[in-house]
Amino acid sequence: MNAQGPAIAAPLDTATAPAASVPGAHPALVLAALAMGGFAIGTTEFAAMSLLPAFTPDLGIDAPTAGHVISAYALGVVVGAPVIAVLAAKIARRTLLVGLMVLFALGNGLSALAPSYPWMVAFRFLAGLPHGAYFGVAALVAASLVPRERRSQAVSRVIAGLTVATVVGVPLANGLGQLAGWRWSFGLVALLALTTATLVRVFAPRGSPAPGASALRELGALRRGQVWLTLGTGAIGFGGLFSVYTYLASTMLEVTHAAPTAIPPVLALFGLGLTVGNLACAWAADRALMPAAGLTLLWSAGALALYPFATASLWTLGPVVFLIGCGGGLATILQTRLMDVAEDAQTLAAALNHSAFNVANALGPWLAGLALATGLGLPATGWVGVALALGGFAIWAMSLLAERRSRLTRARPVRTAP
């Protein structure tokens, strides 16, 4: 038993065995291929938010209604992750990853062609379906390539594709949207997804389903309280980041009075924060998993509390957006935590992590929108974020307390009658 609780290993098969035992598996190339998928997903997830001012008039809707397009993608992730993980339990992981990227390419390609708001909502929902399952399965494959004590860092390499997308892909997509139209941004993502499918097919180990894999075994994850507490921590605690990010472009234009050309550099600062936070949190998680989660949530609450005071100037807004981005490292921490508490239902639990984060993706903008509807103003999205980060911290504390009580119960000596 380590500092984070009992060490639970994933079922040993060719998809989870060490890379050295899988013929033809080259960890660096496999991780790079998996990270490309994260890059494609990160580009569309965050670029769609930054393109709100661009597609709102084209689709004939207002800003609050446009937020439903973002929520539709998030809902797709929430629904798709558990459904795909359960139904695909007996599919080899490489085959599943390739199929998920093809579906992701289709959803984004259709988004680029959406003729109206209802079709756009439907296509964004379709694009979101493979998101969570892809990251969940990719994280399990990545963790299988390295020793146990480096799991979080391997997972962070996959998620680094997403964080690098916020530095490079999102500003590129936003700039492309401004120059050539927002539809080209979604077309770019479709191309990235097809590239990922090809790279994974070439470099990932062939693998095979785990012995005894079944939908019923995967559903066993839902019986474990620590799985639900971990998911709740992400669903609530991560919502603060999205409550601010969704309206960041609008805040810069209406409150900071920045030029549209200033949006991509500030988005890149956010992405740089995500990248730094992802790597730092992975390093910390491999040493003290639960403390790293709690400290990251407190960091997010503090950074979000600075946001309302920083929106008046680009010189203050930029650094605070970077600090908020650093809190995104929570994703890697909770992904590893689920590997410890899910026992033999690894795929479903890993995929559900991204359902939880996309509950946050829907919840944060929705609550921020309610705040805006009351007339509080765009800077108030930061206070919504603080409340959500602290809510996530409260759930984390419940998880920690429950785990400690469980340890004490197991360690208590059994008394026998004289």
Side-chain angles (χ1 to χ4, degrees), residues 244 248 252 256 265-274 299 302-304 306-307 309-327:
V244 165
L248 178 57
M252 292 180 64
T256 314
V266 173
L267 296 178
L269 276 175
F270 176 84
L272 183 61
L274 274 180
W299 172 285
L304 289 162
L306 296 174
Y307 181 78
F309 305 102
T311 56
S313 168
L314 280 176
W315 295 105
T316 52
L317 183 64
V320 170
V321 167
F322 171 83
L323 295 177
I324 292 172
C326 288

Side-chain angles (χ1 to χ4, degrees), residues 41-358:
I41 290 173
T43 297
T44 195
E45 182 174 23
F46 288 94
M49 299 178 195
S50 71
L51 289 169
L52 263 172
F55 66 72
T56 295
D58 198 17
L59 296 177
I61 54 178
D62 56 22
T65 303
H68 298 160
V69 173
I70 309 302
S71 296
Y73 179 90
L75 182 61
V77 181
V78 173
V79 172
V83 171
I84 293 174
V86 170
L87 295 181
K90 295 185 177 182
I91 299 177
R93 286 175 180 164
R94 185 181 72 173
T95 303
L96 179 56
L97 288 170
V98 171
L100 290 170
M101 273 294 107
V102 171
L103 178 59
F104 187 70
L106 176 64
N108 281 281
L110 291 173
S111 297
L113 302 173
S116 64
Y117 166 70
W119 281 112
M120 185 64 168
V121 170
F123 293 149
R124 294 316 293 156
F125 176 81
L126 176 65
L129 289 175
H131 174 134
Y134 176 84
F135 269 121
V137 175
L140 293 175
V141 172
S144 74
L145 301 174
V146 298
R148 179 182 174 83
E149 63 273 13
R150 291 172 52 202
R151 290 177 307 158
S152 294
Q153 293 175 71
V155 172
S156 77
R157 298 300 186 271
V158 177
I159 296 179
L162 185 151
T163 64
V164 171
T166 60
V167 180
V168 179
V170 174
L172 176 63
N174 184 271
L176 180 62
Q178 292 188 36
L179 291 174
W182 59 270
R183 297 180 186 275
W184 286 95
S185 299
F186 292 108
L188 172 64
V189 171
L191 179 61
L192 291 172
L194 291 176
T195 301
T196 299
T198 302
L199 292 175
V200 170
R201 177 68 179 80
V202 172
F203 294 118
R206 184 180 301 274
S208 61
S214 68
L216 187 61
R217 190 172 81 174
E218 290 298 332
L219 288 170
L222 303 181
R223 297 195 303 266
R224 301 179 180 103
Q226 283 293 349
V227 168
W228 285 108
L229 288 171
T230 303
L231 295 174
T233 300
I236 304 300
F238 215 69
L241 182 150
F242 288 111
S243 69
V244 165
Y245 190 89
T246 300
Y247 296 98
L248 178 57
S250 298
T251 302
M252 292 180 64
L253 294 174
E254 298 178 26
V255 179
T256 314
H257 301 296
T261 53
I263 295 175
V266 173
L267 296 178
L269 276 175
F270 176 84
L272 183 61
L274 274 180
T275 302
V276 171
N278 177 50
L279 296 176
C281 288
W283 178 88
D286 278 334
R287 287 155 179 79
L289 185 59
M290 284 297 279
L295 289 174
T296 301
L297 287 162
L298 291 178
W299 172 285
S300 293
L304 289 162
L306 296 174
Y307 181 78
F309 305 102
T311 56
S313 168
L314 280 176
W315 295 105
T316 52
L317 183 64
V320 170
V321 167
F322 171 83
L323 295 177
I324 292 172
C326 288
L330 182 67
T332 296
I333 299 173
L334 297 185
Q335 191 78 68
T336 306
R337 170 69 174 169
L338 284 168
M339 293 180 188
D340 286 339
V341 299
E343 300 182 20
D344 60 356
Q346 296 279 311
T347 303
L348 177 58
L352 282 173
N353 189 42
H354 296 275
S355 288
F357 282 117
N358 278 272

